[in-house]
Amino acid sequence: MKIIISNKSEIPLYQQIKSQIKDAILKEELVEGDSLPSIRAFANDIKVSVLTIRRVYDELEQEGFITSKVGVGTFVSPGNMELLRDARRQMVEQKMQEMITAAKTLGITKEELNAMMEILYEEET
């Protein structure tokens, strides 16, 4: 798992890390049962505080994406498929909202946008 963080970003480090782990789970780059690095090892690898990684892991666990077993490690949670489906929908909805905002700004009509979406969607299959 490759995590890229930016000190120049307005997004806090823990959120950058958390979103990349969550994206890896949603895209199935990390799957049920996969082990995540220990807090200390992960913090050392990406040069952040152990408190930052602790916060990331705590929040991901609260959201149901990972589970921690004391003395064993941290793992991608067993498939809560509804949680994953909903998170995937939210990710697509966010991208669609960005697309709609850009289209409105550029004067593209809903009909034109739908036509573009149909063409692009069909090309992907």
Side-chain angles (χ1 to χ4, degrees):
M1 173 176 59
K2 184 156 177 85
I3 300 293
I4 300 168
I5 56 174
S6 170
N7 292 326
K8 296 178 182 179
S9 174
E10 293 179 13
I11 301 169
L13 290 176
Y14 85 93
Q15 286 182 338
Q16 292 178 49
I17 298 164
K18 178 182 164 187
S19 69
Q20 289 179 59
I21 294 172
K22 192 185 282 189
D23 286 348
I25 293 169
L26 295 174
K27 293 175 182 173
E28 296 182 343
E29 294 165 6
L30 291 173
V31 296
E32 176 182 332
D34 280 354
S35 159
L36 295 174
S38 72
I39 290 173
R40 183 175 300 184
F42 199 7
N44 286 336
D45 286 348
I46 61 174
K47 310 287 189 265
V48 298
S49 165
V50 292
L51 295 176
T52 300
I53 301 303
R54 163 74 64 195
R55 183 173 183 182
V56 169
Y57 280 14
D58 286 347
E59 289 188 13
L60 286 171
E61 188 163 18
Q62 288 171 0
E63 293 175 19
F65 286 95
I66 64 173
T67 56
S68 295
K69 298 175 185 170
V70 178
V72 179
T74 304
F75 305 90
V76 176
S77 291
N80 182 340
M81 292 311 292
E82 192 55 39
L83 174 69
L84 291 175
R85 266 194 291 275
D86 190 54
R88 286 179 178 141
R89 284 186 201 112
Q90 285 178 339
M91 189 167 54
V92 171
E93 286 171 9
Q94 180 183 10
K95 300 286 185 196
M96 289 175 77
Q97 187 58 55
E98 293 169 8
M99 175 187 65
I100 290 167
T101 300
K104 285 181 177 180
T105 301
L106 298 171
I108 296 172
T109 67
K110 181 179 175 183
E111 291 74 23
E112 290 173 307
L113 189 60
N114 282 333
M116 286 188 278
M117 179 114 71
E118 283 290 324
I119 292 166
L120 293 172
Y121 193 86
E122 294 304 316
E123 285 179 359
E124 288 295 316
T125 53

